[in-house]
């Protein structure tokens, strides 16, 4: 069985035009954040970020299948003592562009560096925004279930009366819970918070994903032989993981060295799978 990997060198805005309409099952990506890492690959001013990103998200909307999902890793920085609002402005602009903003996951960076700031604490999380084209999209929740663990031992030992019947949601969501249903079950669904360490040292890139991050979303939103795209691939973490999980992958980066590096690293994996 052959797993395809396509790597394109250039600006995503232009390169994405080469991909077919409705051809991608999952997009997982971390674009440069506003004004960040200027020395490495050029920052975009936070006032110009939405204007810069919209042509790219327009192309992503075109190439994503109607059943597909787009996961965008992003975090607003502090400008003049205030959090910049460009991420919020981007969400609103993307909704106008035709995207549904379906969910927001939090990446809790378990090992972020300690530090001291006069008016804030250590930043240890980033946003993982989920966008879709439709309300009904492919999602394989059983693939990311977690062991019940200690929560079950402590919580299920002392069931209250409301725990034993279906308890109508107090927030009017229409969903209730019957906690006793979970007795004797080995696994539960996870929350929308991902507790993952950051990863920089063992990759030739200053802002690489930990492998578990694309892995979790690839499990949740794709099946074997589906296609995963990272339009800002950097060191190619998304592509490597997709490849190992037997998904086709497409990567784009504007820096030639990253494209060469990813091609070199992917070669042995591709040969192994052929
Ligand atoms: C935050 S890094 C991605 C890191 C990646 N997730 C990894 O695991 O290594 C963003 C990448 O986007 C690339 N980039 C910046 N502007 C771009 C553009 N207009 N088109 C394509 N790639 C771009 C940079 O070269 C950089 O490698």
């Amino acid at each position: 069985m052959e797993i395809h990997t396509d790597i394109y060198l250039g600006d995503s805005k232009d390169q994405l035009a080469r991909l077919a309409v409705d051809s991608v099952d999952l997009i997982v990506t971390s674009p440069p954040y506003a004004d960040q890492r200027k020395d490495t690959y050029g920052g975009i001013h936070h006032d110009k970020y939405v204007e810069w990103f919209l042509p790219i998200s327009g192309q992503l909307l075109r190439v994503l299948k109607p059943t597909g999902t787009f996961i965008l890793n992003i975090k607003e920085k502090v400008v003049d003592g205030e959090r910049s609002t460009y991420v919020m402005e981007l969400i609103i602009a993307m909704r106008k562009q035709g995207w549904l903003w379906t969910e927001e996951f939090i990446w809790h960076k378990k090992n972020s560096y300690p530090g001291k700031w006069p008016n804030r604490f250590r930043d240890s999380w980033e946003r993982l925004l989920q966008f879709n084209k439709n309300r009904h999209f492919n999602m394989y929740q059983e693939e990311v279930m977690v062991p019940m663990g200690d929560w079950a031992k402590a919580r299920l030992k002392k069931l209250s009366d409301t725990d034993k019947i279906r308890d109508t949601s107090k927030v009017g969501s229409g969903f209730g819970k019957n906690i006793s249903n979970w007795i004797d079950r080995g696994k539960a669904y996870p929350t929308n918070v991902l507790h993952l360490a950051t990863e920089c040292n063992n990759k030739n890139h200053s802002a690489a994903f930990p492998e578990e991050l694309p892995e979790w979303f690839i499990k949740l939103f794709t099946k074997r032989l589906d296609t995963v795209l990272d339009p800002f691939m950097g060191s190619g973490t998304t592509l490597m993981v997709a490849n190992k999980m037997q998904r086709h992958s497409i990567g784009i980066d504007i820096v030639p060295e990253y494209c060469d590096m990813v091609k070199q690293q992917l070669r042995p994996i591709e040969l192994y799978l052929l």
Side-chain angles (χ1 to χ4, degrees), residues 16-17 19-29 56-72 94 98-100 102 129-138 221-222 226-231 250:
L16 283 166
L19 307 189
V21 115
D22 294 350
S23 57
V24 169
D25 296 279
L26 173 67
I27 303 161
V28 183
T29 201
I56 295 173
S57 56
Q59 284 291 342
L60 297 176
L61 189 62
R62 187 183 67 81
V63 302
L64 189 69
K65 288 183 188 170
T67 50
T69 290
F70 173 20
I71 298 293
L72 177 62
M94 284 178 62
W99 290 99
L100 301 174
T102 36
L129 303 173
Q130 180 185 338
F131 296 96
N132 292 90
K133 287 167 85 158
N134 287 304
R135 283 179 173 71
H136 298 288
F137 46 86
N138 291 336
F221 291 118
T222 67
D226 278 357
T227 298
V228 180
L229 163 68
D230 187 342
I250 305 167

Side-chain angles (χ1 to χ4, degrees), residues 115-254:
K116 166 96 178 77
W117 291 266
N119 51 6
R120 65 191 71 245
F121 291 125
R122 173 164 58 129
D123 208 350
S124 73
W125 63 275
E126 292 193 9
R127 297 172 190 278
L128 294 156
L129 303 173
Q130 180 185 338
F131 296 96
N132 292 90
K133 287 167 85 158
N134 287 304
R135 283 179 173 71
H136 298 288
F137 46 86
N138 291 336
M139 190 178 193
Y140 309 100
Q141 297 191 359
E142 276 63 30
E143 299 297 321
V144 294
M145 289 185 92
V146 291
M148 287 288 271
D150 295 342
W151 175 84
K153 278 187 220 133
R155 182 71 177 88
L156 299 180
K157 213 164 53 186
K158 308 176 213 139
L159 291 182
S160 68
D161 286 343
T162 47
D163 287 340
K164 290 175 196 156
I165 53 169
R166 190 168 173 83
D167 184 20
T168 309
S169 163
K170 310 260 184 313
V171 291
S173 66
F175 292 100
K177 62 181 191 309
N178 178 348
I179 290 176
S180 65
N181 280 343
W182 293 96
I183 292 175
D184 291 336
R185 295 214 190 156
K187 291 194 167 179
Y189 295 104
T191 69
N192 54 8
V193 180
L194 276 67
H195 303 276
L196 302 172
T198 51
E199 186 152 358
C200 303
N201 299 341
N202 57 349
K203 296 262 179 84
N204 294 321
H205 198 286
S206 56
F209 280 148
E211 289 190 4
E212 295 85 349
L213 194 151
E215 185 186 352
W216 197 80
F217 289 108
I218 290 171
K219 273 194 224 161
L220 183 57
F221 291 118
T222 67
K223 292 194 307 269
R224 199 170 154 266
L225 303 184
D226 278 357
T227 298
V228 180
L229 163 68
D230 187 342
F232 300 93
M233 73 172 175
S235 65
T237 317
T238 305
L239 279 74
M240 310 292 172
V241 175
N243 238 281
K244 282 188 207 156
M245 295 170 73
Q246 309 217 325
R247 273 68 168 169
H248 303 299
S249 58
I250 305 167
I252 305 171
D253 206 286
I254 205 162

